[in-house]
Amino acid sequence: MTVCDIIRKKRDGFELSEEEIFTFVNGYTGSVIPDYQASALLMAIYFNGMSDRETAALTKAMAYSGDTVDLSAFSGLTVDKHSTGGVGDKTTLVVAPVAAALGCKVAKMSGRGLGFTGGTVDKLSSIPGYRTTMDVSEFLSIVDRVGMAVVGQSERLTPADKALYALRDVTATVSSIPLIASSIMSKKIATGSDSVVLDVKVGSGAFMKSIRDAEKLAEKMVNIGTAHGINTSAVITDMNRPLGYSIGNNLEVIEAIKILRGEKIPGLYEECVSLAANMVMLVKKCTYVAAEKSVTEALSTGKAYDKFKEWISAQGGDISYIEDTGKFKPAKYSVDVISEETGYICRMDTEKIGICAGLLGAGRKTVNDSIDYSAGIVLAKKYGDRVNRGEPLCTLYTNNEDGIGDIADRYRAALDFSADAPETLPTVYRTVHNQESI
Ligand code: URA
């Protein structure tokens, strides 16, 4: 069977065998299959989808394409969390220390931001001294001592996903349910946690634009996790507006610290509680209500905030910035975006808002670009808020003034207004559990 036969079979709507999928993944990762053939197969998958059997085989082939992490020393206690990608999503900075403060072990490898979505590793890198790379033995010893560690993804972990994701990014094949499910779950299998909570974002700032598609993706990932013996839950959360009020690396760290100090920032607080409670529930095998109670206590008593400081310090971060967030260097320029309309904000194009933050310097256009940690956006008004003409909608922060007027125009264009208040959107739509976790 040649690569061309595999492409033709998928193009014509037939199911690929496990052997054919392994041939493709190993061939592409080993540079035997060229980009043009891999792109053709990805596009055929994009249009024809994949059966559960094919998705499972693709996940397995990618998961074992490189190193895997052995967390058996913490057997039964390990829990990971992964978001499908959003704007202003700083939940890992909150939920990981909450879970660790409650006795879970969180050994997390996080990604950098690319495109309109942010990355946890970039946010953490904005804390002076914080080390995102270290060898596996130091990583595991911090998990053992502190209960958690968060580093960037090692080059040797799931190299097939790395190569295929980069190709998908430039061939318009990212937003395919089987391709996203196998990409995320291959990384979760390789990083070895017993339990995983997936944050499946839906809305204008997410890959999944409809609840039905978000449900399909959530169910697919939960089934893959279950098939690999991982206790998996997926929480479907709203991304029709940025999460919280801050977008941009050190701005988001500061907002996460507010939550850890007990502030209940609407939307962000509820989502953090839901994700953390699901993590605790999977590890402790308790009810959601019991898990939620311990999570809210860990936040209100400062237990999670203390764990956060212990973790940041263990990875070399300068704690004085956490204790006094005024020490984070602000951006040189700040510009208010003024509303030209009066009415209720009835739609936020969250992807466009994420792009504005990237243009201000908070994100990269290409993988090798550097990041301006102080750049970003602080929202004054969000979906559902009433605004008068002349009032600020948000403040833009940047160290490079060029084009800031255009970015302000883009921001305004990302919003729609209505005379009446729009319907309220939930923060969490629903949770998909596997059999063992309920
Ligand atoms: N996040 C991933 O890790 N992979 C995808 O395909 C999409 C989001």
Side-chain angles (χ1 to χ4, degrees):
M1 161 106 22
T2 66
V3 179
C4 200
D5 292 332
I6 297 174
I7 298 169
R8 186 179 303 109
K9 191 170 170 188
K10 190 74 230 172
R11 181 201 67 188
D12 294 343
F14 295 102
E15 188 180 54
L16 298 178
S17 68
E18 181 165 311
E19 193 192 339
E20 287 159 345
I21 289 172
F22 270 73
T23 301
F24 163 63
V25 171
N26 294 337
Y28 186 62
T29 317
S31 304
V32 175
I33 297 177
D35 283 350
Y36 55 82
Q37 284 188 310
S39 305
L41 185 59
L42 288 174
M43 195 54 87
I45 293 171
Y46 183 90
F47 281 116
N48 288 327
M50 279 186 136
S51 67
D52 284 349
R53 229 182 352 212
E54 287 174 301
T55 312
L58 180 59
T59 309
K60 194 162 136 198
M62 294 200 292
Y64 297 105
S65 63
D67 289 353
T68 54
V69 181
D70 180 6
L71 295 179
S72 55
F74 315 112
S75 182
L77 295 176
T78 51
V79 61
D80 199 350
K81 172 253 165 201
H82 193 102
S83 158
T84 56
V87 177
D89 183 359
K90 68 280 291 171
T91 55
T92 293
L93 304 188
V94 177
V95 303
V98 168
L102 295 170
C104 306
K105 297 283 186 192
V106 186
K108 183 149 177 53
M109 303 216 178
S110 283
R112 303 194 313 168
L114 190 63
F116 68 92
T117 64
T120 301
V121 163
D122 294 327
K123 299 178 216 284
L124 289 168
S125 300
S126 75
I127 303 171
Y130 187 92
R131 289 183 300 125
T132 58
T133 51
M134 61 185 67
D135 62 34
V136 176
S137 66
E138 186 183 4
F139 174 65
L140 295 180
S141 103
I142 296 176
V143 174
D144 189 25
R145 192 160 35 89
V146 180
M148 65 168 297
V150 181
V151 291
Q153 211 138 328
S154 119
E155 281 301 313
R156 293 196 300 267
L157 201 90
T158 57
D161 172 61
K162 210 160 278 155
L164 284 169
Y165 191 85
L167 190 63
R168 285 166 59 208
D169 210 19
V170 292
T171 54
T173 51
V174 170
S175 55
S176 143
I177 290 175
L179 293 178
I180 295 177
S182 53
S183 162
I184 290 177
M185 292 313 291
S186 65
K187 289 182 283 242
K188 299 300 104 182
I189 293 163
T191 45
S193 287
D194 305 301
S195 302
V196 172
V197 173
L198 301 160
D199 179 4
V200 179
K201 305 256 179 233
V202 60
S204 63
F207 292 124
M208 296 296 108
K209 304 292 181 201
S210 74
I211 295 282
R212 188 60 216 123
D213 280 349
E215 281 175 338
K216 273 197 227 158
L217 176 60
E219 279 157 17
K220 218 164 210 206
M221 291 196 288
V222 168
N223 289 343
I224 296 170
T226 308
H228 286 267
I230 304 172
N231 219 7
T232 313
S233 290
V235 186
I236 300 176
T237 64
D238 185 70
M239 195 28 77
N240 285 300
R241 58 218 145 158
L243 192 52
Y245 284 78
S246 299
I247 309 163
N249 297 288
N250 70 27
L251 295 170
E252 291 191 44
V253 170
I254 295 168
E255 193 171 40
I257 292 169
K258 288 183 184 170
I259 297 278
L260 287 157
R261 287 185 185 152
E263 250 186 72
K264 294 185 176 170
I265 298 165
L268 178 59
Y269 175 79
E270 291 79 12
E271 186 163 326
C272 288
V273 168
S274 170
L275 294 170
N278 274 287
M279 290 166 82
V280 171
M281 186 172 87
L282 291 186
V283 172
K284 305 272 171 182
K285 313 253 180 282
C286 60
T287 62
Y288 181 82
V289 173
E292 189 184 41
K293 185 166 178 287
S294 48
V295 165
T296 52
E297 270 170 19
L299 285 168
S300 63
T301 56
K303 211 167 145 182
Y305 177 54
D306 289 344
K307 183 57 73 182
F308 177 78
K309 288 195 285 182
E310 192 187 346
W311 155 45
I312 298 297
S313 171
Q315 290 196 225
D318 184 344
I319 286 304
S320 69
Y321 282 76
I322 310 302
E323 286 170 341
D324 173 11
T325 54
K327 279 187 79 173
F328 280 104
K329 197 166 169 228
K332 233 180 351 195
Y333 306 103
S334 63
V335 172
D336 284 347
V337 178
I338 302 300
S339 179
E340 292 171 354
E341 316 242 5
T342 291
Y344 290 90
I345 300 179
C346 63
R347 186 179 140 76
M348 299 183 92
D349 189 326
T350 309
E351 179 171 338
K352 287 203 178 120
I353 292 173
I355 292 170
C356 288
L359 292 172
L360 291 165
R364 316 182 166 75
K365 286 179 212 73
T366 67
V367 232
N368 295 322
D369 282 353
S370 62
I371 282 216
D372 176 353
Y373 292 126
S374 58
I377 305 175
V378 175
L379 276 61
K381 301 283 182 184
K382 286 183 75 170
Y383 174 90
D385 288 341
R386 190 175 160 78
V387 186
N388 289 318
R389 188 183 160 86
E391 271 191 297
L393 294 164
C394 70
T395 306
L396 308 179
Y397 293 91
T398 185
N399 286 301
N400 177 4
E401 251 187 328
D402 296 346
I404 199 159
D406 286 346
I407 299 172
D409 287 342
R410 275 177 180 248
Y411 187 93
R412 271 186 288 263
L415 308 183
D416 287 336
F417 292 83
S418 61
D420 299 319
E423 59 168 346
T424 312
L425 291 173
T427 300
V428 174
Y429 289 92
R430 61 172 282 228
T431 304
V432 178
H433 296 289
N434 69 8
Q435 283 315 307
E436 288 103 82
S437 62
I438 45 177

